[in-house]
Amino acid sequence: MEKKPDLSLKTKWIDGKNSDELEDAFYVRREVFIKEQNVPEAEELDEADLSSWHVVVYASDRPVATGRLCNNERTWLIGRISVLKEFRGKQIGKLVVEKLLEKAVELGTGAVHINAQTHAVSFYEKFGFIAYGEIFLEANIEHISMIKIFDAEAARSLLSKKFVEQENY
């Protein structure tokens, strides 16, 4: 049986405030979301990129995967998780999600959300995410909201604040 070569992977954190460093993350996202999934560039690359934390995975100094973590003052959201086609099935997507969850805990969040493409729900469930709400379209692709709770009390506080603001109490 032929042994597969080991991938030498490195990860790098990029603060969106340093926008000149974002090109590696954008490269992966353009390949996956814009070219493969036909997401319009104006929808894929947005203002949230400049206030997010981005993790980029490199194989032999080539960017091959990315994801971001952003906060809209009420909720922490991970997203834009993408792996170049030829690097899928090598646990690199798992590495991206693990890094994003570690950063969320480091930043002190009680819970993190994701708007997951419906075909990837079982992937995110392995990390403890739970789906909620209805399926919706984003960039013409079916998604569902999911949440992972790290600290029940902090998450309860965050969620009650969110619901109060929504109801205009």
Side-chain angles (χ1 to χ4, degrees), residues 71-77 108-113 147-149 151-165:
N71 184 321
N72 71 1
E73 295 181 23
R74 292 191 315 252
T75 303
W76 285 92
L77 182 70
T109 183
V112 67
H113 296 261
I147 188 170
K148 177 177 176 66
I149 298 172
D151 177 307
E153 194 57 40
R156 214 176 276 113
S157 171
L158 180 72
L159 290 172
S160 64
K161 177 182 176 190
K162 181 178 177 184
F163 292 128
V164 168
E165 288 172 0

Side-chain angles (χ1 to χ4, degrees), residues 35-95:
K35 290 182 181 176
E36 278 184 48
Q37 298 182 358
N38 297 312
V39 174
E41 186 162 337
E43 284 184 52
E44 176 54 33
L45 306 177
D46 59 24
E47 287 182 13
D49 285 319
L50 301 179
S51 60
S52 297
W53 283 99
H54 303 259
V55 64
V56 179
V57 178
Y58 296 86
S60 302
D61 296 325
R62 176 182 176 204
V64 299
T66 191
R68 77 178 184 190
L69 175 68
C70 59
N71 184 321
N72 71 1
E73 295 181 23
R74 292 191 315 252
T75 303
W76 285 92
L77 182 70
I78 66 171
R80 303 308 203 259
I81 298 166
S82 47
V83 179
L84 295 180
K85 189 178 244 176
E86 63 268 33
F87 289 89
R88 293 181 194 150
K90 300 177 184 341
Q91 304 293 307
I92 298 173
K94 178 179 184 244
L95 175 63

Side-chain angles (χ1 to χ4, degrees), residues 105-122:
V105 169
E106 177 187 315
L107 295 171
T109 183
V112 67
H113 296 261
I114 187 168
N115 292 329
Q117 292 184 11
T118 54
H119 71 83
V121 167
S122 62

